[in-house]
Amino acid sequence: MGTDTFWDLIEHARTIDAPFHEALIILLAARGVDDVLAFHAHFDALDTAVDRWDVWAAGYLIGGGCSDDRFMDFKAGLIALGRAWYERAARRPDDLAEHPDVQQALAAGAEEAVFYEEMGFLASTAYGHLTGNEDGFYPALDHYRPQHSEVEDRPHDMGEDFDFDNAEEMRRRLPRLAALYLKENQR
């Protein structure tokens, strides 16, 4: 499975009249075990690519805080947004201020925009549907990775660490998101 196929599956799942993660599980399970493992390998590479302090800060603002577990859900949610928004947020996390889900959640007073926990587990669920053994997913993935080079495991740099509780710093680094989520008198 190539990168384009990975993103095509995500876009196709959006067209199915079912919750997104359930649709993607169905699509993945229909493709077979190797594609499920390849999908997750791509997912991991994309997740690692946005494992950065500036992206985490965006999640912190949007979520009203963001623990390490919530950050995993946020990165999974970025992938679930699809290729265009994922790539845009990877370049400039502050652009998420323009995403319709962020705008709608903000208007509704919700803190769930972008966060998508189920996205991180759908490959293992699809694997379980195919094999009857969801617990076998991670050992199979460990066996799969070294044999397939289409997704490289590269070291990444999280960038410069900074204090998410410093409103002035957040306004400087993520001005549009900070304008949406921080109170004017917050310092």
Side-chain angles (χ1 to χ4, degrees), residues 41-61:
H42 280 287
F43 177 89
D44 280 349
L46 292 165
D47 178 88
T48 298
V50 291
D51 192 18
R52 301 189 328 246
W53 294 115
D54 59 341
V55 175
W56 198 333
Y60 188 89
L61 287 169

Side-chain angles (χ1 to χ4, degrees), residues 1-181:
M1 170 183 300
T3 301
D4 289 339
T5 302
F6 174 91
W7 289 115
D8 288 347
L9 280 168
I10 287 178
E11 294 307 322
H12 185 196
R14 293 182 178 293
T15 68
I16 297 172
D17 187 25
F20 172 75
H21 64 280
E22 291 176 13
L24 197 46
I25 289 167
I26 292 165
L27 291 173
L28 277 175
R31 297 181 64 90
V33 169
D34 281 349
D35 274 358
V36 169
L37 297 171
F39 181 91
H40 195 76
H42 280 287
F43 177 89
D44 280 349
L46 292 165
D47 178 88
T48 298
V50 291
D51 192 18
R52 301 189 328 246
W53 294 115
D54 59 341
V55 175
W56 198 333
Y60 188 89
L61 287 169
I62 292 169
C66 190
S67 67
D68 55 348
D69 282 345
R70 290 273 291 157
F71 185 46
M72 290 188 320
D73 299 345
F74 184 73
K75 293 183 295 176
L78 290 176
I79 296 166
L81 293 177
R83 186 177 208 163
W85 271 104
Y86 169 87
E87 290 176 352
R88 188 172 170 184
R91 279 190 309 274
R92 286 178 309 279
D94 200 36
D95 282 0
L96 288 168
E98 298 172 19
H99 193 277
D101 291 351
V102 171
Q103 294 287 326
Q104 288 172 353
L106 188 63
E111 296 175 346
E112 290 302 312
V114 184
F115 294 83
Y116 206 147
E117 180 179 12
E118 295 85 357
M119 184 71 180
F121 301 103
L122 59 87
S124 63
T125 303
Y127 183 89
H129 288 331
L130 284 166
T131 66
N133 179 16
E134 193 170 324
D135 292 338
F137 174 72
Y138 288 103
L141 187 61
D142 289 343
H143 179 72
Y144 171 87
R145 285 179 202 253
Q147 298 175 21
H148 298 85
S149 61
E150 72 263 14
V151 177
E152 293 181 34
D153 197 14
R154 300 179 202 152
H156 74 282
D157 178 8
M158 286 193 66
E160 182 185 352
D161 187 7
F162 58 98
D163 182 3
F164 298 169
D165 290 320
N166 181 327
E168 183 177 310
E169 187 69 16
M170 293 294 265
R171 283 187 184 94
R172 185 177 73 76
R173 292 176 184 262
L174 300 163
R176 290 179 288 160
L177 283 171
L180 294 175
Y181 289 97

